[in-house]
Amino acid sequence: MEDILKNLDSEKKDRIINSAIEEFSLYPFEKASTNNIVKNAGISKGLLFHYFNSKQDLYEKLIGFVINKLYNEISSKISWEEQDLLERIKKLVIAKMKISEKYPNMFDFIVKVFSHKKAMNVDDVYELYGKYGINFETMLNDIYTKNVDYSLFQNPDEIQKDINIVQWTLEKYSEQMLSTISEENTLNFDKIVAGLDEYLDILKRTIYK
Amino acid sequence: MEDILKNLDSEKKDRIINSAIEEFSLYPFEKASTNNIVKNAGISKGLLFHYFNSKQDLYEKLIGFVINKLYNEISSKISWEEQDLLERIKKLVIAKMKISEKYPNMFDFIVKVFSHKKAMNVDDVYELYGKYGINFETMLNDIYTKNVDYSLFQNPDEIQKDINIVQWTLEKYSEQMLSTISEENTLNFDKIVAGLDEYLDILKRTIYK
DNA sequence: TTTGTGTTGACCACATTGGTCAACAGTGCT
DNA sequence: AGCACTGTTGACCAATGTGGTCAACACAAA
């Protein structure tokens, strides 16, 4: 993806990528319209098909690009020396928000691709998943398990529930913050992180020793 | 809606309603396909347009039906004597799940209608909202405020955050339960309520006195 | 001048759209 | 029997939208 569009100025490149991501995150593959993509990206029909052989080709290249981006962006922000799971989850949530600021629909897109597989031939999805998805999922799993100090938790019997509560709360909070992005044009991350910390304090009090 | 389809046997009626709800919750108004609706409902094209004058008519009737259903189903399950807010939220979540069991996409549908208003003429949305939505929203608001004993909360400064945590947790939990509905064909509500209570116990421990 | 790259949008054959309508099956009334 | 009525069908329609092509143009480098 990045290499295919390497000759474009990056502003136009992002317009194409975001327009395609938006369309594919809004509609399943067959209903997604290349006409809409070019219209919203502000380019001509011909140009899109100059860079990509077909709609299917665009879709697959997009998946590769997105998963790579997510992998790099997230893994670079997680420190494997950090043993406090709640801090890691916080870092993860912040990383997600930073990505969503530049590419607003990336997560919706990738969730749609791998959950709601009607979008394309199932075999193709699995092939793509094998190509890009496994590392990504392994990394996500590592965040919750690798070198984590579970002894911080107050009640060993309910650790999984505790984790769910934290995760769900921070996710919903960040979703809510992101939904304000249309009104102001950019996010005030200091403020957002402060809010995150307030929720984390309440939760730590509840589930940590 | 109910009166229009009153002569149909209720099984066919539900098939039509659910099929239409699903299509409109999946796609915005213009992209929703009446062909899909009739195909999934297992009826002919002619029959749908025998009961409804147009796609727009079907859409509006559907909104009225859904909001009425939600209003009746929820308000009948909330007791205004109950002063414990967390118990009320629990009742609300359970009511939602019960509805989702019979009409799986009702909530997605109604959220889509009123948030993502591109779906139809904005004026029409507001008119419909005035017709059906106001009572519904008032009721939802009452659940969180009317005759609630806030003195149960440990820390008066963070009540809103506490409420958010509870709400978000129970919602995500119930979403997760509902997503298992495809595997088993029906929900074991006793088990689900037991799970809900486990989460509530953890949360009550810190946010209530 | 020639070659190459980025770019356009009119154009194509075909699929899908919302909606219509003549026809038919069945039921019940006269 | 005939008549009226309701529920139901699916072939059909004009209109719009589809993914994809291609000849042509602009501009820069050789």
Side-chain angles (χ1 to χ4, degrees):
Chain A
M1 188 81 183
E2 207 93 64
D3 32 319
I4 295 161
L5 301 176
K6 66 173 179 297
N7 293 329
L8 277 74
D9 58 306
S10 73
E11 187 263 344
K12 181 181 279 186
K13 196 168 64 185
D14 276 350
R15 250 166 40 219
I16 297 175
I17 291 174
N18 267 331
S19 177
I21 287 181
E22 186 186 358
E23 186 72 11
F24 284 122
S25 76
L26 237 33
Y27 312 110
F29 182 75
E30 308 85 20
K31 292 225 178 194
S33 155
T34 53
N35 290 335
N36 270 347
I37 293 174
V38 300
K39 201 197 304 163
N40 294 331
I43 59 166
S44 69
K45 196 77 171 290
L47 192 58
L48 187 72
F49 285 95
H50 170 70
Y51 287 116
F52 304 95
N53 303 322
S54 66
K55 187 183 173 185
Q56 176 83 20
D57 182 43
L58 164 63
Y59 188 68
E60 294 179 10
K61 297 262 170 51
L62 211 52
I63 293 176
F65 170 75
V66 167
I67 294 192
N68 267 314
K69 190 89 190 169
L70 293 180
Y71 182 86
N72 294 332
E73 219 66 30
I74 292 175
S75 67
S76 70
K77 256 106 184 177
I78 300 290
S79 152
W80 302 108
E81 279 74 45
E82 173 66 76
Q83 291 192 293
D84 182 339
L85 179 55
L86 268 51
E87 284 302 313
R88 275 200 198 167
I89 295 179
K90 177 181 156 187
K91 292 271 168 44
L92 175 60
V93 169
I94 294 174
K96 277 184 173 183
M97 294 179 77
K98 287 238 161 91
I99 298 167
S100 296
E101 205 185 10
K102 189 170 182 191
Y103 298 106
N105 302 289
M106 252 196 193
F107 281 94
D108 290 346
F109 170 73
I110 212 66
V111 166
K112 193 148 197 162
V113 169
F114 286 118
S115 70
H116 200 261
K117 356 199 166 235
K118 293 171 199 166
M120 61 190 292
N121 187 314
V122 178
D123 288 344
D124 290 345
V125 173
Y126 281 122
E127 200 195 316
L128 280 168
Y129 182 76
K131 213 159 147 190
Y132 307 108
I134 288 181
N135 284 335
F136 184 66
E137 201 153 89
T138 306
M139 177 193 65
L140 280 185
N141 193 53
D142 282 349
I143 292 178
Y144 291 89
T145 53
K146 196 170 143 192
N147 195 33
V148 168
D149 182 6
Y150 291 111
S151 74
L152 293 169
F153 285 83
Q154 196 181 111
N155 189 338
D157 298 334
E158 59 183 38
I159 290 184
Q160 188 52 55
K161 286 194 195 71
D162 293 338
I163 295 176
N164 284 344
I165 292 175
V166 174
Q167 168 116 313
W168 292 339
T169 299
L170 299 196
E171 262 171 25
K172 282 269 191 180
Y173 170 78
S174 70
E175 272 171 35
Q176 200 174 277
M177 291 299 108
L178 284 171
S179 73
T180 68
I181 219 173
S182 44
E183 295 148 30
E184 319 161 32
N185 46 5
T186 179
L187 291 177
N188 180 343
F189 268 98
D190 290 342
K191 224 170 178 174
I192 289 175
V193 173
L196 262 182
D197 280 327
E198 288 173 23
Y199 280 101
L200 267 180
D201 285 343
I202 298 176
L203 293 171
K204 271 189 180 161
R205 197 172 73 207
T206 323
I207 68 184
Y208 271 5
K209 278 174 185 163
Chain B
M1 189 84 183
E2 208 94 63
D3 31 319
I4 295 160
L5 300 176
K6 66 174 179 296
N7 292 329
L8 277 76
D9 57 305
S10 73
E11 188 262 343
K12 182 181 276 187
K13 195 169 63 184
D14 277 350
R15 251 168 38 221
I16 297 176
I17 292 175
N18 268 330
S19 177
I21 287 181
E22 185 185 359
E23 186 72 10
F24 283 122
S25 75
L26 237 32
Y27 312 110
F29 182 76
E30 309 86 20
K31 293 225 177 193
S33 155
T34 53
N35 291 333
N36 270 346
I37 293 174
V38 300
K39 201 198 302 163
N40 294 331
I43 59 166
S44 68
K45 196 78 171 289
L47 192 57
L48 185 72
F49 284 95
H50 171 71
Y51 286 117
F52 303 96
N53 303 322
S54 65
K55 187 185 176 184
Q56 176 82 22
D57 182 44
L58 164 62
Y59 188 69
E60 294 180 11
K61 297 262 170 51
L62 211 51
I63 293 177
F65 169 75
V66 167
I67 295 192
N68 267 314
K69 190 91 189 169
L70 293 180
Y71 181 86
N72 294 334
E73 218 67 29
I74 292 175
S75 68
S76 71
K77 257 106 184 177
I78 299 290
S79 153
W80 301 107
E81 280 74 45
E82 172 66 76
Q83 293 192 291
D84 182 340
L85 179 54
L86 269 51
E87 283 303 311
R88 275 201 199 167
I89 295 178
K90 176 180 157 189
K91 292 271 168 47
L92 175 60
V93 170
I94 293 174
K96 278 183 170 184
M97 294 179 76
K98 287 237 162 91
I99 298 167
S100 296
E101 204 185 11
K102 189 170 183 193
Y103 299 105
N105 301 289
M106 253 196 191
F107 282 93
D108 290 346
F109 171 73
I110 212 65
V111 165
K112 193 147 198 162
V113 169
F114 287 119
S115 68
H116 200 260
K117 3 199 159 229
K118 291 171 201 167
M120 59 189 292
N121 188 314
V122 178
D123 288 344
D124 290 345
V125 173
Y126 281 122
E127 199 196 315
L128 280 167
Y129 182 77
K131 212 159 148 191
Y132 307 108
I134 288 181
N135 284 336
F136 183 67
E137 201 153 271
T138 306
M139 176 194 66
L140 281 185
N141 193 53
D142 283 349
I143 292 178
Y144 290 90
T145 55
K146 198 170 142 190
N147 196 31
V148 168
D149 183 6
Y150 291 112
S151 74
L152 293 169
F153 285 82
Q154 196 182 109
N155 188 340
D157 298 333
E158 58 182 41
I159 290 184
Q160 188 52 55
K161 286 195 194 70
D162 292 338
I163 295 176
N164 284 344
I165 292 175
V166 174
Q167 166 116 315
W168 291 339
T169 299
L170 299 195
E171 262 171 26
K172 282 270 191 179
Y173 169 78
S174 70
E175 273 171 34
Q176 200 175 277
M177 290 300 107
L178 284 171
S179 73
T180 68
I181 219 173
S182 45
E183 294 147 31
E184 319 160 32
N185 46 4
T186 180
L187 291 178
N188 179 343
F189 268 98
D190 291 342
K191 224 171 178 174
I192 287 174
V193 173
L196 263 181
D197 280 327
E198 287 173 23
Y199 279 102
L200 266 180
D201 285 343
I202 297 177
L203 293 171
K204 269 189 182 164
R205 199 168 71 203
T206 22
I207 67 181
Y208 270 5
K209 279 173 184 163

